[in-house]
Amino acid sequence: MIKMQLNTVKNGMIIGEDIYNNYDVLIIASGTVITDKIFQQIERLGLDEVHIIEKDVNGDNQIVIIKDDIQNLYENTVESFKNLFNSIKFGKQIISEEVEEILAPMLMEVKHNPSLAKKLWQIEACDEYTYDHSVTVSMASALLGKWMNMTDKQINELAIAGLLHDIGKCNIPDEILKKPDRLTDEEFKVMKTHATLGYLLVKNSKDLSNEIIEGVYQHHEKFDGNGYPNKLVGEDIHIYGRLIAIADVYSAMTSNRVYRKKMSPFLVAKLVTEYSFGYLDPVAVNIFLQNVGNFYVGTLVKLNNGMIGQVVMVNKLDPYRPLVKVNNDYIDLSKHYEIEIDSLID
Ligand SMILES: [Fe+2]
Ligand SMILES: [Fe+2]
């Protein structure tokens, strides 16, 4: 990343750092491509310099992969994970090096592509739920680790634990795992054993760290002690387990389930916040939502009153109720609780 004088930046360059106004409200998210409009916004903020992560989107220095390539990378990761999942199902031992190899290209993006978070939620599912979900949770967990300023080693471990968090499902009968309808109480009981089944699989692996093992084992524990399998409370739950739980809820809500239409990330953020009371780690939830919200600045949205507007600012305290510009008016959703964001418009 380089610092450039504003008068030397050109359209197509990519901003490498979040830009806030004097009220600490995000105006331009890192990863935004400079256009005439963005340039004028920066000028209005009175900045002389701006951080740029590369010289030209199409130039030789390109390090950021654009959307279609992210989709490709995602699909390859899902495909590799599917093979791994099925070999483990038939008794193969988990080998840490193999999992790391599957995740290496994706981890490069997590660490170096500042706009991955936005693209993560645009990714189209390509296979059965468990495979897609595992890869999404892996990416989201690693991103969350990055936003929490964790070390590279921790981010790698989070990606591994995220990918393997539901590995116990390979020992759940297909009639239950792939049942399109709601599970009966009895079936749900069986489904819940996947946390312990997964624990046994990762424990018997070759050289996965104890932290990874705990992350997998504890991803269904709840902050208030009402989770499973061990009813752990608060910070007794390993931080990996707490972060994977957030990524898990977010992924389940943003994916296309048979019985649920894809929801807008803002609605999901609202539900995650409501859900987080007592259930998820509140500090980590806030960091997650703030960062996810930031990536939607500039996005066109449809409101529940039928109007179409553009997200112009995300409030740090209320990340899922941004300021939206509709025609020439600004609607502050943090003050208009009757208005919600219905969906995103590509
Ligand atoms: Fe799970
Ligand atoms: Fe899960």
PDB file of all heavy atoms in Angstrom, residues 133 165-166 169 219 248, ligand 2:
ATOM      1  N   HIS A 133     -21.350 -24.145   3.057  1.00  0.00           N
ATOM      2  CA  HIS A 133     -21.387 -23.521   4.382  1.00  0.00           C
ATOM      3  C   HIS A 133     -20.011 -23.605   5.067  1.00  0.00           C
ATOM      4  O   HIS A 133     -19.543 -22.631   5.665  1.00  0.00           O
ATOM      5  CB  HIS A 133     -22.468 -24.222   5.201  1.00  0.00           C
ATOM      6  CG  HIS A 133     -22.476 -23.891   6.647  1.00  0.00           C
ATOM      7  ND1 HIS A 133     -22.860 -22.657   7.127  1.00  0.00           N
ATOM      8  CD2 HIS A 133     -22.145 -24.622   7.742  1.00  0.00           C
ATOM      9  CE1 HIS A 133     -22.772 -22.659   8.456  1.00  0.00           C
ATOM     10  NE2 HIS A 133     -22.335 -23.839   8.850  1.00  0.00           N
ATOM     11  N   HIS A 165     -15.412 -27.120  11.109  1.00  0.00           N
ATOM     12  CA  HIS A 165     -16.310 -27.030  12.271  1.00  0.00           C
ATOM     13  C   HIS A 165     -17.469 -28.030  12.212  1.00  0.00           C
ATOM     14  O   HIS A 165     -17.882 -28.556  13.235  1.00  0.00           O
ATOM     15  CB  HIS A 165     -16.821 -25.587  12.467  1.00  0.00           C
ATOM     16  CG  HIS A 165     -17.962 -25.195  11.591  1.00  0.00           C
ATOM     17  ND1 HIS A 165     -17.820 -24.941  10.248  1.00  0.00           N
ATOM     18  CD2 HIS A 165     -19.281 -25.021  11.846  1.00  0.00           C
ATOM     19  CE1 HIS A 165     -19.000 -24.625   9.740  1.00  0.00           C
ATOM     20  NE2 HIS A 165     -19.908 -24.662  10.690  1.00  0.00           N
ATOM     21  N   ASP A 166     -17.972 -28.301  11.013  1.00  0.00           N
ATOM     22  CA  ASP A 166     -19.095 -29.241  10.882  1.00  0.00           C
ATOM     23  C   ASP A 166     -18.656 -30.592  10.330  1.00  0.00           C
ATOM     24  O   ASP A 166     -19.482 -31.339   9.796  1.00  0.00           O
ATOM     25  CB  ASP A 166     -20.177 -28.639   9.964  1.00  0.00           C
ATOM     26  CG  ASP A 166     -21.113 -27.704  10.720  1.00  0.00           C
ATOM     27  OD1 ASP A 166     -21.186 -27.799  11.964  1.00  0.00           O
ATOM     28  OD2 ASP A 166     -21.783 -26.871  10.062  1.00  0.00           O
ATOM     29  N   LYS A 169     -20.466 -33.846  10.701  1.00  0.00           N
ATOM     30  CA  LYS A 169     -21.671 -34.167   9.926  1.00  0.00           C
ATOM     31  C   LYS A 169     -21.412 -35.300   8.924  1.00  0.00           C
ATOM     32  O   LYS A 169     -22.349 -35.870   8.384  1.00  0.00           O
ATOM     33  CB  LYS A 169     -22.196 -32.922   9.201  1.00  0.00           C
ATOM     34  CG  LYS A 169     -22.830 -31.930  10.170  1.00  0.00           C
ATOM     35  CD  LYS A 169     -23.508 -30.777   9.464  1.00  0.00           C
ATOM     36  CE  LYS A 169     -24.151 -29.849  10.486  1.00  0.00           C
ATOM     37  NZ  LYS A 169     -24.646 -28.609   9.864  1.00  0.00           N
ATOM     38  N   HIS A 219     -18.109 -24.949  18.838  1.00  0.00           N
ATOM     39  CA  HIS A 219     -18.772 -23.945  17.989  1.00  0.00           C
ATOM     40  C   HIS A 219     -20.278 -23.824  18.234  1.00  0.00           C
ATOM     41  O   HIS A 219     -20.907 -22.895  17.750  1.00  0.00           O
ATOM     42  CB  HIS A 219     -18.452 -24.174  16.500  1.00  0.00           C
ATOM     43  CG  HIS A 219     -19.200 -25.291  15.844  1.00  0.00           C
ATOM     44  ND1 HIS A 219     -18.784 -26.597  15.870  1.00  0.00           N
ATOM     45  CD2 HIS A 219     -20.339 -25.301  15.114  1.00  0.00           C
ATOM     46  CE1 HIS A 219     -19.622 -27.363  15.200  1.00  0.00           C
ATOM     47  NE2 HIS A 219     -20.597 -26.595  14.723  1.00  0.00           N
ATOM     48  N   ASP A 248     -20.869 -18.837  11.733  1.00  0.00           N
ATOM     49  CA  ASP A 248     -21.828 -19.915  11.490  1.00  0.00           C
ATOM     50  C   ASP A 248     -23.246 -19.353  11.334  1.00  0.00           C
ATOM     51  O   ASP A 248     -23.956 -19.666  10.379  1.00  0.00           O
ATOM     52  CB  ASP A 248     -21.768 -20.877  12.682  1.00  0.00           C
ATOM     53  CG  ASP A 248     -22.452 -22.200  12.400  1.00  0.00           C
ATOM     54  OD1 ASP A 248     -22.447 -22.638  11.235  1.00  0.00           O
ATOM     55  OD2 ASP A 248     -22.985 -22.797  13.351  1.00  0.00           O
TER      56      ASP A 248
HETATM   57 FE    FE B   2     -22.160 -24.798  10.860  1.00  0.00          FE
END
